Amino acid sequence: MLSKTSPLYWFGLICLLGFVGASLLVPLVLNEDPAYGFNVWRSMQQGGRFNELVYPNPLNPAADKSVFISWWSPGQYLLPAWWSLLTGWTHERSGLCLTVLFTVLGLWGWQKVWKQAGFQPAVITWSLFLMLTSRLTTINFLNYTGGETLIFGGAPWVIWLFRFGVPNPTRLFFTMLIGSLLCFVFKTSSSITLLSLVMVPATERLMAVFYTKKLTLDRTFWLTSIATGLAFVGYYALTQVFYLSKGTNPTAELNEAFELSYSVMDLVTFPTQYWLSSHDFVSQLGRLYSPFDASYIALLGQLVALGMLVFMVIGVVRLAKQHLHNLALFVAFYGIYTLFLGYFYGRAAEISFETRHFKMVAFLFLPLFLEVIWMRKKWAKHLVLSLLLICNTTYGLVTFALKKIEISQYPQAQNGFMLKYTAQQDVVRLQSIDKEGNLVLMTDPALALEITKARKYLFTYPPDFARKVGFAEKKYITQNRKLYIVYSKVMAADVKAPVLEAIFMNRTFTKIGETPYYHYYESQ
């Protein structure tokens, strides 16, 4: 992948081995999204149907109720669970094995894409190294992120298959359809990748008008557009009928009115924000300074990111004849991601505004940006590379080391994962209430996996999210059962008994304990 003659190859290999070694010593944390998936897997092991979460009926706890969890992909828990069945490893060790495999697959896939695209070897080497040491790659060796890890390894191969299939429309249709369906198993939101690829032929033809002064819609354009369009239609129909329609998803409930938020600016400047880590820096500085000062810092970060983006666009004009297809690929992804995510954010979809959702755009942007830098004078190239090494690589590696030290202080779960924001006393207290006949409501899906005897409800704060996913109700009737509430302080700093009594009808709650991370309530 990286050129073995480059020092970056050996430093990158050392970094990757360091990530793996550190994760063998300090196990991964289980992220919230795949944690819900492992709760589904627990239900399936106990006789539940495929991808359904089973929990006590809120109106009659003696009976069961189930919900199909279509909010997240099944692959993020099925792959490590199946690997554990085959090897006898814990889920955490299986998750780490998959993380290593899909990280290597992702780097290899991007190397193939960029080599196929005709980028310089030095640009490819630097791009792969910066990607490996970026915050959103190193975080996969801190937490088992499920779909984020899997799609990192799958998405570049869909792009490679797109370019590989273009000369043959039939091959293009089937490779796009099969590759995209496989990525859907990895991460449900991968649909936007295929939609972006559908727009590439039209984007390339429109951009060519700028240079040729005429619009050429030849046979290749029509066949490529039809093949990718039909692949998207088939993909959408299959995923809707056999998966998404069985439950809810983040875009199922939208506000009627569209409200443009300043946060959308993060989408516009994201390609440069990602590599400068400016979003993270602003968040950290915002905790140190007053909101007024932090707003100036945020504005400065946006202006710097926007300036670099404009610089890149101006520079790429000189490269366009050589890299027109590469630029069209980036513009298609950038446009689709910005428009669609901006639209859904404007209508309050349940999609968290996190940089991990836009990283595909940043990955496509980087080699184009470096190609522009390579055209500049040597001092300018060294300056930009130094800035990237400080803001991206150094920040990613230092943050990784500090987070590993923090994670090492937490207790380990039965499945091998570390229990973040949990103390040993929480594990002991949970064992004392995990008894047959008890009902336990948990707000942390990873910690909920420690409950093996009592019947449990999963919950969130605010409660609306859990209701939209489908595993929570507005009212619970749980008389004649001892009920415990284990409420995470990370979700809500303080929870009063009246809040719980409004949800659980005809119940009174008594606070029986508190730890640095959780509130404990009991109701007879």
Side-chain angles (χ1 to χ4, degrees):
M1 288 179 288
L2 294 172
S3 173
K4 293 184 179 180
T5 60
S6 169
L8 286 181
Y9 170 85
W10 297 107
F11 189 39
L13 182 60
I14 291 170
C15 287
L16 181 58
L17 293 175
F19 298 155
V20 177
S23 299
L24 289 172
L25 292 173
V26 181
L28 303 177
V29 169
L30 180 58
N31 251 30
E32 188 176 89
D33 290 2
Y36 286 115
F38 279 111
N39 278 281
V40 171
W41 174 252
R42 176 76 59 81
S43 295
M44 290 167 60
Q45 285 183 305
Q46 295 171 350
R49 289 176 293 188
F50 171 72
N51 203 51
E52 288 194 359
L53 178 68
V54 179
Y55 58 97
N57 190 321
L59 303 181
N60 178 17
D64 285 336
K65 187 174 181 179
S66 64
V67 59
F68 189 89
I69 303 295
S70 57
W71 203 276
W72 301 284
S73 68
Q76 62 181 348
Y77 70 86
L78 287 178
L79 291 181
W82 287 342
W83 189 250
S84 293
L85 288 177
L86 290 173
T87 62
W89 295 357
T90 64
H91 287 160
E92 187 278 334
R93 280 294 173 255
S94 297
L96 176 59
C97 180
L98 288 170
T99 298
V100 176
L101 173 63
F102 277 80
T103 298
V104 173
L105 279 175
L107 293 171
W108 183 25
W110 282 112
Q111 186 264 350
K112 296 273 288 182
V113 168
W114 291 333
K115 185 177 180 180
Q116 186 184 49
F119 287 109
Q120 300 179 52
V123 166
I124 296 174
T125 299
W126 271 97
S127 297
L128 291 173
F129 176 75
L130 291 169
M131 180 184 292
L132 173 64
T133 54
S134 68
R135 180 78 174 96
L136 287 186
T137 303
T138 60
I139 199 172
N140 292 335
F141 290 91
L142 295 171
N143 310 329
Y144 175 63
T145 56
E148 298 300 331
T149 299
L150 301 180
I151 200 62
F152 178 84
W157 291 99
V158 175
I159 297 175
W160 183 82
L161 287 171
F162 169 74
R163 285 176 160 164
F164 172 74
V166 165
N168 186 323
T170 303
R171 182 175 65 189
L172 178 62
F173 169 77
F174 284 108
T175 54
M176 285 292 92
L177 180 60
I178 295 170
S180 297
L181 287 173
L182 184 60
C183 283
F184 180 85
V185 175
F186 296 158
K187 185 174 172 64
T188 54
S189 62
S190 62
S191 310
I192 198 169
T193 299
L194 180 55
L195 181 59
S196 299
L197 288 172
V198 171
M199 297 303 299
V200 170
T203 304
E204 185 173 1
R205 291 303 190 278
L206 289 173
M207 293 178 64
V209 172
F210 180 78
Y211 300 97
T212 63
K213 307 304 180 184
K214 63 178 181 178
L215 181 62
T216 305
L217 302 180
D218 54 14
R219 184 171 180 270
T220 300
F221 164 79
W222 288 112
L223 290 177
T224 302
S225 299
I226 292 170
T228 53
L230 288 175
F232 181 79
V233 171
Y235 164 89
Y236 183 80
L238 289 171
T239 54
Q240 283 289 332
V241 171
F242 293 105
Y243 195 82
L244 294 175
S245 64
K246 295 180 180 296
T248 63
N249 62 75
T251 61
E253 295 185 29
L254 302 173
N255 289 347
E256 290 187 8
F258 176 84
E259 183 177 343
L260 186 62
S261 169
Y262 172 75
S263 298
V264 174
M265 188 65 179
D266 286 335
L267 282 173
V268 176
T269 60
F270 181 74
T272 46
Q273 274 204 54
Y274 179 91
W275 301 110
L276 293 174
S277 302
S278 58
H279 192 279
D280 282 15
F281 291 153
V282 167
S283 297
Q284 296 296 329
L285 290 171
R287 298 175 184 176
L288 301 176
Y289 297 97
S290 68
F292 181 77
D293 294 330
S295 65
Y296 275 104
I297 296 170
L299 179 60
L300 178 61
Q302 294 282 15
L303 290 175
V304 171
L306 186 60
M308 289 187 68
L309 188 62
V310 171
F311 165 78
M312 174 269 189
V313 171
I314 294 173
V316 163
V317 170
R318 294 175 57 186
L319 292 174
K321 290 185 178 179
Q322 179 185 353
H323 287 283
L324 179 61
H325 186 76
N326 299 324
L327 184 58
L329 188 68
F330 165 70
V331 170
F333 272 79
Y334 180 63
I336 292 296
Y337 269 74
T338 303
L339 289 175
F340 272 74
L341 289 176
Y343 169 77
F344 284 123
Y345 285 132
R347 293 194 61 189
E350 287 289 344
I351 306 173
S352 56
F353 206 98
E354 299 176 53
T355 53
R356 61 190 174 90
H357 291 137
F358 328 126
K359 58 180 179 287
M360 279 289 292
V361 178
F363 294 163
L364 291 168
F365 166 82
L366 182 60
L368 284 169
F369 180 63
L370 292 182
E371 281 281 352
V372 174
I373 297 304
W374 248 254
M375 296 189 308
R376 304 295 166 180
K377 293 183 179 179
K378 186 176 292 186
W379 67 267
K381 182 175 73 174
H382 289 167
L383 177 63
V384 172
L385 290 177
S386 297
L387 183 64
L388 291 172
L389 286 174
I390 293 170
C391 294
N392 178 77
T393 299
T394 304
Y395 175 69
L397 296 179
V398 170
T399 303
F400 174 80
L402 293 176
K403 288 292 183 181
K404 273 296 183 187
I405 294 171
E406 178 191 334
I407 291 170
S408 69
Q409 309 303 312
Y410 297 117
Q412 192 170 10
Q414 298 173 42
N415 54 22
F417 290 104
M418 301 298 280
L419 293 167
K420 194 174 182 181
Y421 301 130
T422 303
Q424 186 61 41
Q425 57 186 304
D426 291 304
V427 177
V428 173
R429 186 178 287 272
L430 205 60
Q431 291 171 347
S432 70
I433 63 178
D434 184 20
K435 297 176 181 178
E436 292 184 10
N438 288 348
L439 290 172
V440 183
L441 183 142
M442 305 288 298
T443 57
D444 184 335
L447 187 60
L449 291 165
E450 297 296 287
I451 297 291
T452 58
K453 299 175 183 176
R455 290 165 63 76
K456 68 188 176 190
Y457 295 108
L458 293 180
F459 208 67
T460 61
Y461 187 88
D464 278 347
F465 174 75
R467 293 177 192 136
K468 289 177 180 179
V469 176
F471 56 74
E473 307 286 343
K474 291 184 178 180
K475 298 291 181 182
Y476 291 75
I477 301 175
T478 56
Q479 289 94 334
N480 305 319
R481 289 290 188 100
K482 185 175 284 189
L483 173 65
Y484 293 92
I485 309 289
V486 183
Y487 222 110
S488 170
K489 290 183 179 179
V490 175
M491 293 188 176
D494 191 19
V495 180
K496 304 297 183 183
V499 175
L500 302 174
E501 290 163 4
I503 298 172
F504 291 87
M505 299 174 65
N506 303 316
R507 284 277 195 174
T508 56
F509 287 89
T510 303
K511 192 169 187 177
I512 60 172
E514 182 178 344
T515 68
Y517 301 106
Y518 289 92
H519 299 285
Y520 292 85
Y521 286 90
E522 180 184 15
S523 177
Q524 298 292 338

